[in-house]
Amino acid sequence: MKLVFIVQGEGRGHMTQAIALHQILMDAGHQVQKVLIGKSSRRKIPDFVLKNLGSKLKTFESPNFFTDQKDKSIKIGATIQKNLLKINHFKKSLHLIDQVIQEENPEVIINFYDVLGGIYNALNKPNAAFWTIGHQYLIYHPHFPFANHSFFHKYLFKINTWLTALGASKMLALSFQEMPSHNNPRLEIIPPLLRESVKNITPLKGDFILTYMVNPGYAEEVISFGQKHPEIQIVAFWDKKGSPECYRPLPNVSFYPIDDQLFLQKMAVCKGLVSTAGFESICEAMYLGKPVMMVPVKGQYEQACNALDGEMAGAGIQHHCFDFKLFTEYLDQGFSLPDYFPAWHAQLQIKIEEIIKENKIINKITNYLPHRAISK
């Protein structure tokens, strides 16, 4: 089977998911021909993505969040306004996506939660199955735990998710755990997409707390806390352009730019993870048996849902700020993660193969029916 990926480039989660699924599909004998990643001026494509997907990678300008002056909380009004002003750039992106699809002629397009991916499918109606993948599609499951925030933010989240899945024949919803049965024929609940490099790690318990922040403005909180609590060791990863390989503002606080291998090495030997509530980082921690404090990005409703869902799944606790002291006290209580996660994740390969097999059967039936109609 031939495939093309369209990937949202905001944060690292969707890109690491794309790398993991790329490996699974290639190992099964399928062809991922191109990986289209939405970029913005706010972020650069991480080196680990270039290393894993470089020869197949093509970037396009895509809508993204805009933050406050401290590069911390999401400003919804500014995000909508500034993205509307760039509509001509996005038209060029849609044209680029169409060029790639026409050239590669894939059987399946998989959209990793990019808005332009959904809009492209609705406008151009390519001759390929269109699937979407991400934790966000769990909102279509009746048991999904919506965060108790404003109706406006919840509505925008649902609209954004709907846009990414326009015309999708399958929505592959990544979940921390198995979910009860449902009757939505487009919705498939599957385990998280974890890279082989995560599964090959042997975790140990170190003496520091690991932290990751999708918006570098949260570094102020980390440094402020480190000054007040020099006894707590903190190793942080951030997505800040131009940051040095190791920024050490305090003896007990270190910052590193996003590096997948170094991040996983640190994850393997940390006491626990304090992180903005990105789905992928929480899953990696759960797989390695590391408790998590989830701090949703302010103004990003989807992360509030992630934190609530992760807490209900037993990943750890959620909090409104990077309070490493509270997390240390939580760890000292002897908390242990539920042991179901590795077994749930082990079902991933089988579930993906079943979805692909079902698609092939549908294609055969679709191709057969017109011939029968003509023969009659």
Side-chain angles (χ1 to χ4, degrees):
M1 188 169 73
K2 299 188 296 182
L3 306 97
V4 167
F5 289 177
I6 302 174
V7 186
Q8 186 207 109
E10 185 82 11
R12 65 185 280 272
H14 298 288
M15 291 183 282
T16 56
Q17 290 167 9
I19 291 170
L21 186 57
H22 174 269
Q23 189 63 56
I24 290 171
L25 292 171
M26 296 294 285
D27 288 346
H30 303 291
Q31 300 176 48
V32 179
Q33 299 158 294
K34 278 286 185 287
V35 179
L36 300 164
I37 296 185
K39 66 174 183 177
S40 72
S41 58
R42 289 183 64 228
R43 308 188 190 283
K44 69 171 187 175
I45 303 297
D47 290 339
F48 74 89
V49 177
L50 299 175
K51 179 181 177 182
N52 284 277
L53 302 172
S55 62
K56 300 177 180 180
L57 192 62
K58 202 171 187 69
T59 61
F60 62 94
E61 192 162 1
S62 183
N64 65 96
F65 288 116
F66 286 86
T67 61
D68 59 12
Q69 291 183 347
K70 293 184 178 181
D71 202 9
K72 193 173 180 180
S73 64
I74 300 298
K75 306 294 287 185
I76 296 297
T79 295
I80 295 172
Q81 181 183 30
K82 292 185 178 182
N83 280 314
L84 285 174
L85 291 173
K86 301 180 73 175
I87 194 164
N88 287 330
H89 295 278
F90 301 148
K91 286 180 179 178
K92 292 179 182 178
S93 295
L94 290 171
H95 179 67
L96 183 148
I97 294 172
D98 188 50
Q99 280 186 317
V100 171
I101 299 301
Q102 294 293 335
E103 290 170 3
E104 302 297 338
N105 192 28
E107 297 166 72
V108 176
I109 300 166
I110 301 184
N111 185 26
F112 291 77
Y113 204 66
D114 190 86
V115 169
L116 291 187
I119 292 173
Y120 165 76
N121 187 59
L123 294 178
N124 293 72
K125 296 179 173 55
N127 186 28
F130 184 76
W131 300 350
T132 57
I133 190 166
H135 179 244
Q136 294 86 347
Y137 302 107
L138 270 185
I139 68 170
Y140 296 109
H141 193 284
H143 289 193
F144 180 74
F146 285 102
N148 187 23
H149 283 54
S150 73
F151 172 80
F152 177 67
H153 286 84
K154 178 180 177 180
Y155 177 76
L156 288 178
F157 173 48
K158 293 175 78 171
I159 284 292
N160 190 77
T161 302
W162 173 75
L163 286 171
T164 65
L166 287 171
S169 57
K170 286 290 180 187
M171 297 183 293
L172 311 183
L174 305 175
S175 177
F176 292 118
Q177 57 188 327
E178 289 190 77
M179 300 286 284
S181 59
H182 60 89
N183 51 6
N184 186 333
R186 295 198 300 155
L187 185 65
E188 299 280 355
I189 311 300
I190 65 172
L193 289 163
L194 296 178
R195 296 162 292 158
E196 287 299 318
S197 51
V198 178
K199 293 180 279 185
N200 292 334
I201 290 175
T202 301
L204 301 169
K205 187 174 181 180
D207 60 355
F208 66 91
I209 294 174
L210 181 67
T211 185
Y212 167 73
M213 57 207 70
V214 66
N215 292 333
Y218 285 94
E220 294 179 4
E221 288 187 25
V222 176
I223 294 171
S224 175
F225 182 91
Q227 290 173 330
K228 297 173 185 175
H229 299 275
E231 75 281 5
I232 296 179
Q233 296 293 320
I234 302 170
V235 174
F237 284 78
W238 59 353
D239 185 9
K240 184 175 182 180
K241 276 189 174 182
S243 61
E245 290 188 10
C246 181
Y247 170 53
R248 200 175 181 87
L250 297 168
N252 61 320
V253 178
S254 302
F255 284 87
Y256 296 89
I258 293 177
D259 179 314
D260 69 322
Q261 291 304 314
L262 183 59
F263 181 77
L264 291 178
Q265 289 170 19
K266 297 294 186 182
M267 175 90 78
V269 294
C270 71
K271 292 196 293 185
L273 173 69
V274 176
S275 173
T276 45
F279 177 77
E280 196 67 17
S281 297
I282 299 169
C283 290
E284 290 172 348
M286 289 181 74
Y287 189 85
L288 296 174
K290 306 292 182 176
V292 187
M293 172 182 275
M294 296 156 281
V295 184
V297 172
K298 293 175 183 176
Q300 193 167 349
Y301 179 78
E302 127 185 12
Q303 288 221 345
C305 293
N306 287 352
L308 179 60
D309 195 18
E311 190 173 55
M312 291 175 63
I317 57 174
Q318 58 175 312
H319 198 54
H320 66 276
C321 67
F322 285 72
D323 190 336
F324 297 89
K325 181 68 173 176
L326 177 64
F327 188 52
T328 299
E329 293 171 354
Y330 173 73
L331 295 176
D332 290 343
Q333 295 174 8
F335 173 82
S336 60
L337 287 162
D339 57 6
Y340 69 82
F341 191 81
W344 166 233
H345 180 264
Q347 299 180 41
L348 177 64
Q349 186 88 33
I350 295 172
K351 286 186 176 292
I352 289 176
E353 289 174 357
E354 288 175 347
I355 293 166
I356 290 172
K357 183 179 180 180
E358 179 187 346
N359 183 70
K360 289 181 177 178
I361 292 171
I362 291 172
N363 284 345
K364 285 181 180 179
I365 293 172
T366 303
N367 292 332
Y368 177 65
L369 286 175
H371 296 295
R372 287 203 61 180
I374 291 169
S375 66
K376 287 182 180 180

